Amino acid sequence: MLTRLCSADGVTGFEGNAAAVARELLAPYCDRTEIDRCGSVLGWKSCGKPDVKTVLLDAHLDQIGFMVTDVLEGGFLRFTQVGGIDPRMLLGAEVTILTETPRYGVIACMPPHLLKAGEENKAVPMHEMLIDTGLLDAKAVIPIGTPVVFAQPPYALAQGQLTGKCLDDRAGFIAIVDAMRRLEHAELSVNIVVCGSVHEETDSLGALTASYRVRPDYGIAVDVSHAKTPDSGSDEAFEFGGGVLVGMGPNLHRGLTNALLRTARAEEIPHQIEVMEGNTGTNAWDMQVVRSGIAMGLLSIPLKYMHTPIETIQLSDVEAVSKLIAAFLREFTGEVARV
């Protein structure tokens, strides 16, 4: 499922292809699904009982990318970023230009032989970079404003790992789909709405509008966070393969957070606590203030190399998120303590 969803392009603001695949993957486990006017995927599962609470499960479908800002002679394109991108990694990258018929390109880089003394250690600003398409008629076939994505498909690595673009946050959405699969024949006491949201990388538009429409009592946002690597700060990264990260902080509902932690311990689901001082940097931050407020929890998947074309996850961490959501909702009555 991850390979299929990550192979569907969906730059922020242009998520149509990814949303269509996401809806198809979600549909077997919901009573009904739709793509709303903002482009988010929504799926409803009713417990069949009157006067019950609603839980909204959210993960975003959009991915970082680029947009064409100018088309030059010789098939070269100038571009800008959509979402947070480190320009240091771009030179030599392979990209797909999402014209009606997608086209291949490379982000051009100067050969080391032609660099002037001292230039080899300088970062090239993004506005000075060019995409080389090799198309002599580029102006006729590539409109300004065309979205561009990294070209690399996802690849399986050893020991149950997967690497590729947009695992932030397609992995989170697949964790929710798998949780819904686990709940397919469960007797529930709450209604569930799933949202594969758009625009998270820029303004959380999809999660905000879906929350306003659904009016949930509780929400669980699923996202990614930083996994430890040899060069990562130990205070800001978490064990890769250590299980689901349960967010804890002043802007997350303490009662819901504690209930999720109790479930993880009772079910012996591998988990870690991610302490957050304030803004979570996820849809959970924006969803909590919709209408009269939503009690929000946050679950995250440890991920290496965020916002690159080689994002890497451990599949067992995705499974831990899925198991925790399913185990919690299977027993959830719709009430948690306020603190």
Side-chain angles (χ1 to χ4, degrees), residues 1 10 13 15-16 31 45 66 78 88 109 123-124 141 154 165 175 177 180 193 213 215 221 251 337:
M1 289 192 296
E15 297 96 341
D31 302 323
K45 182 178 179 66
F66 316 93
R78 294 203 183 277
R88 295 175 302 169
C109 57
V124 180
V141 296
K165 60 184 180 181
V177 171
M180 296 299 288
V193 182
R213 175 184 177 184
R215 297 175 179 243
N251 291 99

Side-chain angles (χ1 to χ4, degrees), residues 288-323:
Q288 66 174 335
V289 295
V290 170
R291 293 191 183 269
S292 58
I294 302 171
M296 288 301 304
L298 175 64
L299 303 177
S300 298
I301 299 164
L303 174 140
K304 296 188 287 189
Y305 323 125
M306 190 180 297
H307 282 203
T308 75
I310 54 164
E311 294 176 336
T312 304
I313 58 167
Q314 174 66 248
L315 295 177
S316 62
D317 290 334
V318 181
E319 185 179 45
V321 175
S322 167
K323 286 181 176 179

